[in-house]
Amino acid sequence: MSLVWEWTHTIHALATPPGTSALAIVRVSGPSAERIMRSCCPFLPETLESHTAKVGFLINPSFSKNVDQVVVTYFKDGSSY
């Protein structure tokens, strides 16, 4: 049995408890994470630098409408916990 985990799926998960709060943290990881985030965060620069945060508006790509103001942090593959 191999102890090496291979990322073959892109996952997303709520990292804060559900309910009413001032903020929510959603983690998106995997091979399609950057493509997915770019589709709903058009403010991201063309080249992402690891361990940086960018502020902008999350949009609903289906309707091109702002959903909420967000902070996106980017960690290069293998550089996060």
Side-chain angles (χ1 to χ4, degrees):
M1 176 169 75
S2 173
L3 296 178
V4 176
W5 175 265
E6 289 190 36
W7 286 98
T8 57
H9 299 291
T10 300
I11 60 168
H12 65 280
L14 188 59
T16 48
T20 304
S21 66
L23 59 95
I25 298 173
V26 178
R27 181 177 176 153
V28 182
S29 299
S32 298
E34 185 176 343
R35 180 184 56 77
I36 291 167
M37 293 310 301
R38 287 189 181 284
S39 74
C40 57
C41 299
F43 61 89
L44 293 175
E46 187 174 318
T47 303
L48 290 171
E49 184 179 334
S50 189
H51 295 77
T52 59
K54 302 294 180 196
V55 178
F57 283 92
L58 178 81
I59 66 161
N60 179 329
S62 299
F63 303 107
S64 297
K65 288 182 69 174
N66 286 347
V67 175
D68 203 351
Q69 188 171 26
V70 297
V71 177
V72 175
T73 54
Y74 172 72
F75 297 93
K76 184 174 168 57
D77 182 27
S79 300
S80 69
Y81 295 97

